[in-house]
Amino acid sequence: MKFLLTVYFDKNCDYTVRSEVRNILSELFRNVEKEYRSFNLLIDSAFDQVRKQYDAGSIFHMLSGMTQKGFFLGIVSEDIFVDDLNFVFGVAYPWKGAVISTYRLALTEIEGKFRERLLKTIKHELGHIFGLKHCNKNCVMRFANSLYELDMKAKDYCDDCISALRKLGLI
């Protein structure tokens, strides 16, 4: 079975982000075709004046309306949130799509740290797209609510998560 993932880049995503995302996705999931597009959504309507952040759910629904078939992954450079959390690195809905923000991932001076954070976040949100839930093991699917937690969690899926992805024919 082949899956289609349409990757949308916010107009503010620079060349480095676009290049890193493409490189990371080329390494993941052999049975997922990738299609890359830029989007020029007017996400101003998702901006919350009080929080000074963008509502990830609103951006998700905008991208969901643009996706005709398969799943989607939206990459934005703005700080995003969902209700009940101060911020999120990303948000995903199983069998639909995900939105990832590079805003906090880039808060580093350490060489290679941004790519590592982006890799973990992409793997995590794609895991959710393909039905994985948060995992309590040393796994990329472990929940992270801070850069420290993101940096400390594993880069890869645990054996249980790998097994679930294998059953889908993704790896």
Side-chain angles (χ1 to χ4, degrees), residues 40-154:
N40 229 355
L41 287 179
L42 299 174
I43 63 170
D44 292 342
S45 64
F47 187 72
D48 185 298
Q49 290 290 341
V50 174
R51 295 178 71 132
K52 305 295 186 211
Q53 293 171 295
Y54 291 80
D55 183 332
S58 293
I59 297 170
F60 180 93
H61 291 295
M62 289 177 204
L63 290 173
S64 181
M66 293 172 50
T67 306
Q68 301 302 315
K69 59 182 179 174
F71 311 105
F72 69 88
L73 176 64
I75 310 293
V76 300
S77 56
E78 289 80 8
D79 197 16
I80 60 175
F81 74 94
V82 294
D83 291 339
D84 300 328
L85 292 174
N86 292 336
F87 71 91
V88 290
F89 299 116
V91 63
Y93 295 91
W95 307 111
K96 293 181 183 176
V99 175
I100 290 174
S101 167
T102 62
Y103 182 84
R104 292 178 189 261
L105 304 178
L107 298 176
T108 184
E109 299 294 322
I110 301 170
E111 183 75 27
K113 186 57 75 175
F114 172 73
R115 185 185 199 283
E116 180 183 311
R117 290 172 175 172
L118 186 60
L119 170 73
K120 289 177 182 181
T121 303
I122 288 172
K123 280 184 166 183
H124 183 93
E125 299 307 338
L126 288 179
H128 284 318
I129 289 173
F130 295 116
L132 298 180
K133 297 188 183 319
H134 286 137
C135 182
N136 292 325
K137 296 182 178 180
N138 188 21
C139 180
V140 75
M141 291 308 297
R142 181 180 284 274
F143 179 74
N145 196 33
S146 69
L147 286 173
Y148 175 78
E149 290 174 347
L150 179 62
D151 290 343
M152 296 312 295
K153 76 177 179 176

Side-chain angles (χ1 to χ4, degrees), residues 7-18:
V7 181
Y8 296 101
F9 293 102
D10 170 13
K11 67 180 188 282
N12 295 323
C13 287
D14 64 22
Y15 174 80
T16 302
V17 169
R18 292 169 190 259

